[in-house]
Amino acid sequence: MWCHGLLFGVPVFGLMLFRMFPLPIALATYVPLSAVSFWLAVVVMRSLRSPVSTGAEALPGRAGRVVTMDGDDIFVQVDGELWRARSDEPLAPRQPVDVLALEGLTLTVSPRLAERVRPRTGDPCH
């Protein structure tokens, strides 16, 4: 709500300066005031359009690391938080992973692309 006052209110109420002061003084005050109001409106609009950086919506695409594996239970650390995870591919402790999705409180992860096992060059089997 305050952004409406910033975007529209300041320039509109600034027009009162022209009734109270001579034209050069009113203009010298009104132009910078309107410029600051417009600049702040642009900053606010950019921040509203920026991608989500927190919460559950921000987890897919983040990187993490496998902390422990106990049977089917996998725990990964993402941004300092410990999460239960599942993966269709085998994982090892301390292995870097990418978060694919969040279902409830369980992350779906896969090994990082750079960390996946690659065949050695010159290996006759591959």
Side-chain angles (χ1 to χ4, degrees), residues 13-109:
F13 287 121
L15 290 174
M16 290 184 196
L17 293 171
F18 291 96
R19 294 193 71 148
M20 297 187 302
F21 299 108
L23 182 64
I25 294 173
L27 199 58
T29 306
Y30 181 74
V31 170
L33 211 106
S34 295
V36 168
S37 177
F38 180 74
W39 176 76
L40 285 173
V42 168
V43 169
V44 168
M45 293 304 290
R46 282 185 184 163
S47 69
L48 289 174
R49 291 184 181 151
S50 66
V52 177
S53 60
T54 61
E57 295 86 6
L59 281 171
R62 297 273 177 136
R65 185 170 300 275
V66 177
V67 176
T68 60
M69 296 182 60
D70 184 27
D72 290 338
D73 291 334
I74 303 169
F75 290 93
V76 298
Q77 188 172 19
V78 179
D79 294 336
E81 298 175 343
L82 196 60
W83 291 86
R84 181 181 304 273
R86 65 180 179 84
S87 175
D88 294 334
E89 301 178 46
L91 299 172
R94 297 189 313 265
Q95 180 177 10
V97 293
D98 288 323
V99 177
L100 302 176
L102 173 67
E103 297 171 17
L105 293 176
T106 303
L107 298 177
T108 303
V109 298

